[in-house]
């Protein structure tokens, strides 16, 4: 695969992923990941210290699906949605059909009453299966810039 096609595929993955969350199509969110995946939201200090815990941690496609089912059926939270703004992806070398990628993000939270606020900033550190189309995340680490994490973090970032 040439570099241009790789970049376009990663850009498309990032954009469609953000649209899925921002458009509240969360039942589709697990489909962006391979079966044996890892999704983690943590803060920069914990990540730098090598701690592998987070506010949200899922270690398989099934755990991602459970997260969404629980969010929809069990959790009680004030209705809200996000709008993601993504920076350009930086890509590493492709090794055995896997590429390391990273991008900065900003997520704005829009509450049911229209109040809008900056919710989170950070970066995505990803390992992506690019051996077949569509590309899928093997690992998505969401590294938040701040240790202060809102208790309303129920929707994936």
């Amino acid at each position: 695969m040439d570099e241009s096609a790789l970049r376009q595929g990663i850009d498309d993955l990032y954009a469609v992923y953000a649209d899925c969350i921002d458009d509240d199509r969360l039942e589709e969110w697990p489909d962006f990941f391979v079966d044996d995946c890892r999704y983690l939201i943590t803060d920069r200090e914990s990540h730098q210290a090598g701690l592998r815990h987070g506010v949200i941690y899922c270690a398989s496609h099934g755990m991602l699906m459970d997260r969404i089912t629980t969010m929809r059926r069990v959790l009680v939270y004030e209705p809200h949605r996000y709008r993601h703004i993504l920076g350009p992806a930086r890509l590493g070398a492709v090794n055995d059909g896997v590429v390391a990628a990273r991008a900065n993000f900003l997520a704005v939270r829009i509450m049911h009453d229209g109040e809008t606020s900056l919710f989170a900033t950070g970066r995505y550190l990803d390992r992506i299966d690019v051996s077949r189309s569509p590309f899928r995340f093997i690992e998505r680490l969401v590294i938040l810039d701040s240790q202060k994490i809102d208790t309303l973090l129920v929707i994936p970032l």
Side-chain angles (χ1 to χ4, degrees), residues 50-124:
L51 303 175
R52 299 179 60 88
H53 69 279
V55 179
I56 296 179
Y57 180 88
C58 298
S60 69
H61 188 267
M63 288 179 77
L64 298 173
M65 292 176 10
D66 287 348
R67 175 78 192 178
I68 299 306
T69 300
T70 300
M71 188 193 87
R72 294 288 199 208
R73 296 183 183 167
V74 177
L75 298 178
V76 177
Y77 60 94
E78 190 173 2
H80 64 285
R81 59 189 168 87
Y82 297 151
R83 177 65 59 207
H84 284 79
I85 307 298
L86 305 176
R90 292 181 31 210
L91 307 181
V94 178
N95 294 310
D96 296 324
V98 176
V99 66
R102 62 190 295 165
N104 296 324
F105 75 89
L106 178 146
V108 174
R109 180 174 60 193
I110 303 95
M111 301 305 292
H112 73 284
D113 63 1
E115 179 185 339
T116 301
S117 61
L118 177 60
F119 182 66
T121 63
R123 63 183 169 163
Y124 296 122

Side-chain angles (χ1 to χ4, degrees), residues 1 18 35-37 46 57 80 93 107-108 112:
M1 171 182 308
D35 287 339
D36 187 21
C37 63
S46 294
Y57 180 88
H80 64 285
V108 174
H112 73 284

Side-chain angles (χ1 to χ4, degrees), residues 8-24:
Q8 184 62 54
I10 299 293
D11 288 346
D12 288 347
L13 174 64
Y14 279 21
V16 174
Y17 175 96
D19 284 346
C20 174
I21 294 170
D22 294 351
D23 294 343
D24 195 32

